[in-house]
Amino acid sequence: MNAIIDIANTIFQPLINLGAAPLMTIVLTLIALCFKVKPTRALEGGLKLGIALTGIGAIIGILTTAFSGAMTDFVERTGISLNITDVGWAPLATITWGSPYTLYFLLIMVIVNVVMLFLNKTNTLDVDIFDIWHLSIVGLFAIFCGANLLIATLLVIFIGVLKIINSDLMKPTFNDLLNAPDTNPMTTTHMNYMMNPIIMVFDKIFDKVFPWLDKYDFDAAKLNSKIGFWGSKFAIGIYLGIFVGLLAGQTPTEIFSLAFTAAVCLELFSLIGAWFIAAVEPLSQGITDFASNKLKGRTINIGLDWPFIAGRAEIWAAANVLAPIMLLEAIVLPGNKLLPLGGIIAMGVTPALLVVTRGKLIRMIVIGAIELPLFLWSGTLIAPFVTETAKKVGAFPAGLSADSLISHTTMEGPVEKFLGYLVGNASQGQIEFILYAILALVAYLLIFVWYARQMKKRNAVYAAEKAAM
């Protein structure tokens, strides 16, 4: 196994040394060509990804530079040490793709997906190639904590198989939320939906204890329309900048400068994030065509990135409400060292809430507030790994001091990060960590099995309703 990694390092290290943007341009172009995408389209996708990585890096640099001074003042004034900078998801994707292990994990999961398809264990072909980094970072973190490559690979396969199964379980709910026919091929294997089992536990508690709250639910589209600009990403950035500036005791000039900088950066996060999706479209189409040719006569769902469901207003309404809640929780939560910046728009949280609650906004907000500590603790836990890896691949934000720690608040898969930590430390042979890891993995699997049964019951109701039409 080490020999394989040595060979991979020999092959890929010169590419990694080029930097994240050129590396991913080359990688995405070559993979697309392997799936017989036209050379011009393959290169177009690769270049778009390189541009997106460069753009997001520039925005992160602006944001972190603007907030670093304010946060230093804030810590000195209050004694509250939120000394981990939330740089958003893009730098984490960059450092993850900067590792040859990510390509290895991608190859493993492609093989696993194909095997599951041919054994009829899934109907989903995962074409969301870029977001393999969500799964890869779990394996990389396990290795950082002490696991060897074999153990990390088994952990990645374990979680990856459940992700693919989950995509099939969610498919009828997506059809319902989109008002789409059964022929609609869209589903997702995105990591943020692996929070579904935990969310469903709280959703069932709502069913038993607080069903009367549903009477007060409201239409999210109308709410967003009424709030207008004041619930936009621009406005949230202004609130955030004013809030942090006041806590830091800055002058009015400094506060307004911080507020407007945050407003621009949060809006650009969303805009540039769409570039990533556009970048992988040629490759996704190539893989789809490949599946159609090789699996003729079989109904295949296509596992996309989560934003195909982003038209549902509940996602944005819940995110707007959860943003200030997240800030307050970050300040008072024991053990948290992470200040929400790049992850203040909780896109790693709200899509799963939408699927499980089926758009019941009050439930989304309450359950979201309950689960946010998991994301804050996870981001705090993984910060040393993220920081060290970012420095190795040259993706550490230039505006931060060398001894700063970086992470991401609403990074998808917080529970899986804890699994990576436990499995990695258990690999060192400590009996305590071995027991914790076994218990955690068993609990993780059992709650998923329970969740799968609940989703199958839901799907049976969908089927019965359509049969009655």
Side-chain angles (χ1 to χ4, degrees):
M1 190 70 73
N2 288 333
I4 294 175
I5 296 302
D6 288 340
I7 294 172
N9 284 330
T10 301
I11 295 173
F12 291 113
Q13 195 61 50
L15 292 175
I16 294 171
N17 291 340
L18 292 174
L23 168 65
M24 287 315 304
T25 297
I26 295 169
V27 168
L28 194 70
T29 301
L30 290 177
I31 295 176
L33 289 173
C34 290
F35 281 95
K36 299 184 178 179
V37 176
K38 291 182 179 180
T40 54
R41 287 280 288 156
L43 181 59
E44 176 188 347
L47 289 172
K48 282 182 177 178
L49 183 57
I51 292 168
L53 288 169
T54 301
I56 208 77
I59 299 305
I60 288 294
I62 294 171
L63 185 66
T64 54
T65 299
F67 273 86
S68 60
M71 291 316 303
T72 299
D73 294 340
F74 168 68
V75 170
E76 291 177 354
R77 289 188 72 219
T78 64
I80 298 174
S81 182
L82 298 179
N83 57 357
I84 302 174
T85 302
D86 176 8
V87 296
W89 63 268
L92 272 72
T94 302
I95 67 174
T96 306
W97 274 106
S99 168
Y101 288 108
T102 296
L103 293 172
Y104 164 76
F105 289 136
L106 172 60
L107 174 61
I108 292 295
M109 286 313 304
V110 167
I111 294 171
V112 168
N113 192 187
V114 171
V115 170
M116 291 179 70
L117 279 166
F118 278 101
L119 293 179
N120 209 22
K121 299 300 181 182
T122 184
N123 290 319
T124 298
L125 176 68
D126 185 11
V127 301
D128 187 13
I129 299 299
F130 180 78
D131 282 332
I132 189 65
W133 75 267
H134 294 134
L135 189 54
S136 175
I137 203 170
V138 176
L140 294 174
F141 185 45
I143 293 172
F144 177 81
C145 292
N148 59 36
L149 182 58
L150 176 60
I151 296 297
T153 301
L154 292 175
L155 179 62
V156 165
I157 292 174
F158 171 66
I159 298 170
V161 167
L162 296 185
K163 279 197 329 127
I164 294 171
I165 293 172
N166 191 36
S167 67
D168 292 320
L169 294 171
M170 293 187 293
K171 179 65 168 58
T173 299
F174 286 131
N175 290 347
D176 181 55
L177 292 170
L178 295 168
N179 195 25
D182 289 339
T183 54
N184 161 46
M186 293 188 296
T187 186
T188 180
T189 60
H190 203 279
M191 182 73 92
N192 62 27
Y193 293 102
M194 291 306 288
M195 281 299 293
N196 287 9
I198 292 176
I199 295 171
M200 184 162 280
V201 170
F202 290 106
D203 193 57
K204 293 299 181 183
I205 292 174
F206 258 81
D207 287 340
K208 299 293 185 183
V209 182
F210 307 112
W212 50 271
L213 274 177
D214 291 337
K215 294 187 298 183
Y216 302 100
D217 216 42
F218 44 91
D219 187 287
K222 291 181 180 178
L223 175 66
N224 285 355
S225 177
K226 289 180 180 179
I227 293 176
F229 168 81
W230 304 106
S232 68
K233 300 178 187 68
F234 283 122
I236 292 174
I238 289 173
Y239 307 151
L240 175 65
I242 292 174
F243 180 73
V244 173
L246 289 173
L247 289 177
Q250 292 187 322
T251 66
T253 300
E254 291 171 324
I255 291 173
F256 280 115
S257 176
L258 192 64
F260 289 129
T261 299
V264 171
C265 289
L266 288 186
E267 187 65 30
L268 289 177
F269 273 134
S270 177
L271 175 63
I272 297 176
W275 299 356
F276 285 88
I277 298 169
V280 299
E281 283 178 356
L283 176 57
S284 295
Q285 187 59 53
I287 294 176
T288 302
D289 293 341
F290 173 82
S292 298
N293 294 331
K294 299 298 181 181
L295 301 171
K296 292 180 179 178
R298 173 96 173 270
T299 299
I300 297 296
N301 300 323
I302 304 301
L304 303 172
D305 199 354
W306 75 266
F308 71 86
I309 199 71
R312 293 287 303 209
E314 297 91 344
I315 286 179
W316 305 103
N320 289 340
V321 177
L322 287 173
I325 293 174
M326 192 190 312
L327 276 172
L328 293 173
E329 289 187 1
I331 291 172
V332 302
L333 186 67
N336 174 59
K337 300 295 182 181
L338 181 60
L339 177 72
L341 295 175
I344 194 67
I345 307 298
M347 291 301 97
V349 180
T350 52
L353 291 167
L354 174 72
V355 167
V356 175
T357 68
R358 288 180 283 191
K360 294 177 180 176
L361 194 53
I362 291 178
R363 293 191 185 208
M364 289 178 68
I365 293 168
V366 173
I367 297 173
I370 292 171
E371 68 173 346
L372 280 175
L374 286 175
F375 288 85
L376 291 166
W377 282 325
S378 171
T380 299
L381 177 69
I382 204 171
F385 158 71
V386 173
T387 304
E388 181 178 313
T389 309
K391 290 178 178 178
K392 285 182 179 178
V393 302
F396 189 79
L400 293 179
S401 62
D403 58 349
S404 297
L405 292 175
I406 62 172
S407 189
H408 178 33
T409 307
T410 50
M411 179 168 45
E412 291 83 350
V415 175
E416 289 74 17
K417 305 302 185 301
F418 288 111
L419 291 180
Y421 173 79
L422 292 174
V423 169
N425 281 278
S427 300
Q428 301 299 303
Q430 297 182 48
I431 299 299
E432 182 180 10
F433 273 108
I434 291 174
L435 291 175
Y436 286 151
I438 291 173
L439 290 173
L441 290 168
V442 170
Y444 184 82
L445 179 60
L446 289 178
I447 194 173
F448 185 87
V449 170
W450 170 82
Y451 155 78
R453 289 175 179 169
Q454 303 305 311
M455 290 296 284
K456 288 176 181 177
K457 291 178 182 178
R458 176 193 291 189
N459 295 341
V461 172
Y462 283 135
E465 288 174 350
K466 291 185 177 180
M469 290 181 180

